[in-house]
Amino acid sequence: MNTTTIFSSLQRITDAYNDKLQSISDVQFQTSPPIGGWSYSEVYAHIFDASLLSLHAMEDCLNGKGKDKPTAFAVKLILFFGALPPGRYKIPKQLEGRAKVITKKEAQDLIGQFKKQLEADYKQIPRARDNVKSKHPRLGYLNARQWFRFTEVHLKHHLKQLHRIEKSFAQ
């Protein structure tokens, strides 16, 4: 896992979210798509809230607040291949009430917060200890580098969701 490559990818993905945000009207941003499920607004609220929480978990690992626990082999495969297995997933119980309808301005602010925190945390990764891990709600224990990679995987996953929403509005 090359952290410089992941950092560059995270910047590109975040720029893609920002570009997509600019192309969506205020009304459509908060409208449930024809296919059902979350609106653009709820996706942005979830993904950047969850990404900030992932960076916080990474910071805990960097600061020695964690446990020396194994990472499941299946999770290592997800991180190695850089993708979640196909399918739709239910939001973890811990995050259920956090996805909400927000404005485009609030989404822009979340993106800005994420980018600022990402930059600061990226600089700290070289001091990460591989055996200090914090718990992910579904994947088990991840160390700082794994949280960093997971953030990339999760952002890419939801970018695909935005494309599905866009297609449903186009039909």
Side-chain angles (χ1 to χ4, degrees):
M1 252 187 290
N2 180 326
T3 55
T4 302
T5 303
I6 294 168
F7 179 66
S8 295
S9 174
L10 282 165
Q11 288 178 312
R12 282 191 308 278
I13 294 166
T14 304
D15 288 344
Y17 273 96
N18 198 34
D19 292 345
K20 171 58 73 190
L21 182 63
Q22 303 313 312
S23 73
I24 305 167
S25 74
D26 291 346
V27 172
Q28 196 174 55
F29 186 69
Q30 294 182 334
T31 302
S32 294
I35 58 172
W38 283 353
S39 65
Y40 284 118
S41 172
E42 292 162 306
V43 173
Y44 274 84
H46 165 70
I47 192 58
F48 285 101
D49 178 54
S51 294
L52 285 163
L53 289 172
S54 292
L55 293 179
H56 179 71
M58 186 175 93
E59 289 168 15
D60 284 347
C61 295
L62 289 167
N63 294 322
K65 298 177 190 171
K67 298 180 179 183
D68 189 354
K69 298 269 191 173
T71 300
F73 181 72
V75 174
K76 289 179 181 180
L77 286 175
I78 289 168
L79 298 174
F80 177 78
F81 288 109
L84 295 170
R88 294 180 76 163
Y89 301 91
K90 281 192 72 133
I91 189 167
K93 293 270 186 223
Q94 300 92 317
L95 301 177
E96 267 182 356
R98 297 177 70 103
K100 58 187 179 206
V101 176
I102 61 173
T103 65
K104 284 179 66 175
K105 170 75 169 99
E106 289 170 314
Q108 190 66 56
D109 291 346
L110 280 171
I111 292 170
Q113 276 181 272
F114 173 73
K115 287 176 88 168
K116 182 178 179 183
Q117 195 61 52
L118 177 67
E119 179 82 31
D121 290 346
Y122 165 67
K123 293 175 183 174
Q124 301 301 316
I125 291 176
R127 67 180 180 85
R129 295 190 333 245
D130 288 343
N131 66 324
V132 178
K133 299 177 183 180
S134 60
K135 194 170 188 332
H136 180 278
R138 287 253 168 82
L139 302 180
Y141 286 87
L142 306 176
N143 65 32
R145 286 178 183 85
Q146 291 168 330
W147 274 107
F148 196 60
R149 175 67 164 163
F150 169 75
T151 302
E152 177 194 27
V153 170
H154 191 225
L155 279 162
K156 284 193 316 189
H157 171 75
H158 282 286
L159 198 54
K160 292 175 189 171
Q161 184 179 10
L162 292 181
H163 294 302
R164 286 193 305 272
I165 293 170
E166 181 179 29
K167 281 183 184 177
S168 81
F169 277 119
Q171 292 176 351

